[in-house]
Amino acid sequence: MTHPAHHTHPTRPAPGRDADEVGRLAGRIATAVADCPAVAALADGPVATYLPGGTVVGVAVRDTEVKVEVVAVFGRPVTEVAAQVRAAVHGLMPGTQVEVCIDDIELPDSAARETLR
C-alpha cells in the first residue's frame, strides 16, 4: 500500500553513531514497539532503517527523530497506540522526538470482518 504522505529516505546514522549502532538501536526499538499491547505489528511499509546487509522495517532512526509505523490492535484508541509507542522509544532513547504512523488496524478474526461489512 503506497501512501502519498510517506517519503522513503535512506536513514543516515545520527552524529556520533555508526551504521552498526543505528542497526542495533533500530532493532531494539522494533522489539520494544512490537511488545506494546496496542500494537499488532510493525508495518511493512516505506518506513525503515536501511543498513548494509539488512533492513529494520517499521522503524526509521534519523538524525533528530525516530519514526515508527505500526499496525494497531482493533478497538484500541489511536492516542493509546501512539502513547505506548512513544513510551517504548523513550525507554531506549529518552527525550527523542517520536513520530508515530498508524498504517493499518488488525481486525480480531474473519468473523469480525464479516460483521463490519
Side-chain angles (χ1 to χ4, degrees), residues 3-104:
H3 301 282
H6 292 172
H7 302 285
T8 304
H9 299 287
T11 300
R12 295 176 311 211
R17 292 192 177 127
D18 64 18
D20 289 337
E21 182 182 355
V22 170
R24 287 190 299 273
L25 183 57
R28 289 194 307 268
I29 291 170
T31 299
V33 168
D35 287 342
C36 293
V39 172
L42 289 161
D44 191 20
V47 173
T49 298
Y50 302 97
L51 303 161
T55 303
V56 179
V57 297
V59 176
V61 178
R62 298 194 174 136
D63 292 346
T64 59
E65 72 175 354
V66 173
K67 185 171 183 177
V68 182
E69 188 172 21
V70 299
V71 176
V73 172
F74 178 76
R76 302 304 274 270
V78 294
T79 54
E80 178 185 347
V81 177
Q84 287 181 16
V85 170
R86 286 190 180 97
V89 174
H90 288 153
L92 296 167
M93 297 179 67
T96 301
Q97 181 179 343
V98 181
E99 181 180 340
V100 180
C101 299
I102 299 174
D103 183 64
D104 204 353

